[in-house]
Amino acid sequence: MKKTSLIFSLIVIILLVSACNPRQATPLRTINLNLTYIPNVQFAPFYVGIEKGFFSEAGIDVKIVYGNEADMIALIGAGKETFMIASGEQVLMARGQGLPVRSVVNWYSDYPVGVASLKSANIKQASDLVGKEIGLPGLFGASYIGFEALARAANLSDSDYSLKSIGFTQVESLITEQVDAVVIYIANEAVQLKTRGYDIDVLKVSDALDLVGNCLVSNEKSIAEEPELIKAMALAVTKSVRYVAENPEESFEICKKHIDNLADLSPEELDIQRQVMLSSIAIWQLEPLEHSVQKQKWQNMHDLLLELGLLSAAVDVEGAFSDTFDR
């Protein structure tokens, strides 16, 4: 009789525990989150979202994948992947090619590109770029588009300056004076130069034109068929972004679990990476934008791409983004 009572009691306890923890009975949905480039502290929200359980709380088991932005956005558009981080120009150019991709979270408040020069070059405004040789990774991507936005806002044309493809060697190319100025990411190379003691001037693209930076991107099929998944992911991402902004030191420690060799850097190099993360936080979008404000950012990017010939025809700007999932 006592054995029967004990078994009954155990069954009751198991049922009560299961009722109090319903998520344990529901398997997580495994989803790839496609990031461009390589592991970096600028991706801190996604590492933090995994470690703090923000994604799992939303029913999602996030697996981070790194790769080429153009290849990844093609997979998103084809419905073979569901989520990626992409810059606004990539979304519009993909839609111009018939790929049904759409931004569902605006991650960056400011377009993250700028032009850096040594103080000795005396480049204080965009008009000072006339006659200068400017290094950039190549005539592609956010760096190229950001530079063209800055130049055109100052009514400069291609004949006013010389562009030189230098790959991702902006810091070395500038300090060895191979070029007069370099196109950089505000939160990366600018921080590296300043932290290493170089006096520089930085022209920010965001001061000249308000453009769409990095976004969480999905596709129209997923948005139509699985809006609950899109919203769960969007809210988990925004929660992760805010957590990093409010807890930078803890977040930096979490990054060490996801970025090879970060923990092994010298104190000086480690501080540079910490400053890169803090500078990234400064340009993130921590609260949802008003629809009209977000639309204008997309319209500005759209018009620039048309002017540059990177869009062959106008596309529907309203179709490029949704602002209903992150609030």
Side-chain angles (χ1 to χ4, degrees):
M1 186 69 179
K2 288 183 179 180
K3 184 176 181 180
T4 303
S5 299
L6 179 59
I7 293 173
F8 178 77
S9 298
L10 288 172
I11 292 173
V12 170
I13 291 171
I14 291 169
L15 290 173
L16 287 172
V17 170
S18 299
C20 293
N21 297 275
R23 287 196 179 277
Q24 292 184 1
T26 304
L28 298 180
R29 171 83 173 270
T30 299
I31 291 289
N32 287 337
L33 175 58
N34 296 275
L35 304 181
T36 57
Y37 198 45
I38 59 176
N40 191 280
V41 293
Q42 296 169 86
F43 293 136
F46 310 109
Y47 309 142
V48 167
I50 290 171
E51 296 295 334
K52 300 300 292 185
F54 300 148
F55 293 115
S56 60
E57 288 170 4
I60 304 169
D61 177 22
V62 165
K63 304 296 183 185
I64 293 179
V65 179
Y66 300 92
N68 178 274
E69 191 173 29
D71 293 340
M72 287 180 171
I73 206 161
L75 292 174
I76 298 291
K80 295 181 180 179
E81 294 285 358
T82 307
F83 294 107
M84 74 173 293
I85 296 299
S87 193
E89 75 276 355
Q90 294 295 327
V91 174
L92 287 169
M93 289 191 294
R95 289 185 68 85
Q97 296 171 1
L99 293 174
V101 297
R102 185 181 297 177
S103 165
V104 294
V105 173
N106 188 41
W107 177 20
Y108 274 36
S109 173
D110 296 337
Y111 202 68
V113 175
V115 174
S117 59
L118 297 176
K119 286 280 187 183
S120 57
N122 200 34
I123 299 174
K124 306 297 182 183
Q125 54 192 7
S127 59
D128 295 331
L129 294 170
V130 173
K132 299 296 193 292
E133 186 173 44
I134 300 136
L136 76 173
L139 303 182
F140 57 85
S143 295
Y144 169 64
I145 289 167
F147 174 77
E148 288 291 346
L150 183 67
R152 289 165 188 264
N155 296 315
L156 301 181
S157 64
D158 293 346
S159 61
D160 290 322
Y161 47 79
S162 173
L163 295 180
K164 180 180 180 180
S165 296
I166 58 173
F168 295 96
T169 64
Q170 293 99 319
V171 172
E172 295 79 5
S173 295
L174 186 64
I175 63 179
T176 56
E177 300 186 20
Q178 297 178 44
V179 291
D180 300 304
V182 290
V183 183
I184 58 162
Y185 270 70
I186 298 295
N188 192 354
E189 291 87 3
V191 173
Q192 293 188 44
L193 287 161
K194 290 177 181 177
T195 306
R196 290 172 180 169
Y198 292 95
D199 289 329
I200 62 172
D201 288 308
V202 177
L203 306 177
K204 296 180 180 180
V205 172
S206 58
D207 289 339
L209 189 63
D210 198 11
L211 300 172
V212 181
N214 289 350
C215 314
L216 176 67
V217 177
S218 189
N219 56 65
E220 292 179 357
K221 182 175 185 292
S222 297
I223 291 171
E225 295 180 357
E226 298 187 283
E228 298 85 1
L229 172 64
I230 304 299
K231 190 169 185 68
M233 185 68 165
L235 291 177
V237 167
T238 56
K239 184 175 183 179
S240 300
V241 169
R242 292 191 190 109
Y243 190 90
V244 174
E246 294 168 0
N247 304 275
E249 285 304 316
E250 178 190 357
S251 299
F252 188 73
E253 291 301 312
I254 288 174
C255 286
K256 293 177 181 179
K257 300 180 181 180
H258 292 263
I259 302 172
D260 289 344
N261 303 321
L262 179 61
D264 300 326
L265 293 177
S266 68
E268 293 78 10
E269 290 294 327
L270 204 59
D271 186 57
I272 289 175
Q273 292 303 309
R274 182 179 286 104
Q275 294 305 316
V276 166
M277 192 190 77
L278 293 174
S279 296
S280 299
I281 292 171
I283 58 175
W284 290 348
Q285 185 70 50
L286 300 180
E287 297 297 336
L289 293 174
E290 293 292 332
H291 181 83
S292 60
V293 174
Q294 190 165 182
K295 181 180 177 181
Q296 188 60 58
K297 291 166 75 79
W298 283 97
Q299 190 66 54
N300 291 344
M301 178 64 82
H302 173 271
D303 295 347
L304 175 64
L305 294 176
L306 273 178
E307 189 177 347
L308 293 174
L310 296 174
L311 277 178
S312 58
V315 300
D316 176 22
V317 170
E318 289 275 8
F321 72 98
S322 175
D323 55 6
T324 61
F325 292 107
D326 60 347
R327 62 195 75 200

